[in-house]
Amino acid sequence: MKTMISLLMVLGLTAVSTAHADVSQTYTKSCAACHDSGTFNAPKKGDVATWNRLNQQKGKEALIKSTRQGMPQMPAMGLCQNCTDKDFAELIEYMSK
């Protein structure tokens, strides 16, 4: 039984780290060009205060909608044409930390 619990814990941790790796890879491919440097006034990854303010002002759903529809300085869907709203939510969460 103890071995089974250990195995389930390892599998769970692997799934979490794989999901994090996928978000990280998607960020690098689709978001980093602007969000690492702040190009076109993009909120920088890791700028917790700015992301918290945006979340409070707009809310998560509006941030996702803005990403999907685009903004004057960002094309619709950013650079991730196959991302879902769930993906955008994960990317926003990833950038806000």
Side-chain angles (χ1 to χ4, degrees), residues 21-94:
D22 291 344
V23 171
S24 175
Q25 289 173 355
T26 301
Y27 171 80
T28 299
K29 292 177 187 174
S30 304
C31 311
C34 295
H35 287 279
D36 271 357
S37 64
T39 300
F40 302 118
N41 294 319
K44 289 183 179 181
K45 179 186 180 313
D47 184 348
V48 176
T50 298
W51 283 105
N52 283 343
R53 181 177 41 78
L54 288 170
N55 241 332
Q56 289 174 354
Q57 288 175 345
K58 295 182 175 190
K60 189 159 298 229
E61 292 304 316
L63 290 173
I64 293 167
K65 183 178 179 182
S66 294
T67 304
R68 191 177 348 98
Q69 293 179 346
M71 298 166 55
Q73 68 276 27
M74 183 178 79
M77 306 291 284
L79 296 176
C80 189
Q81 297 303 305
N82 61 342
C83 281
T84 64
D85 284 359
K86 181 180 181 278
D87 295 327
F88 290 136
E90 290 173 355
L91 286 163
I92 291 166
E93 180 70 22
Y94 178 78

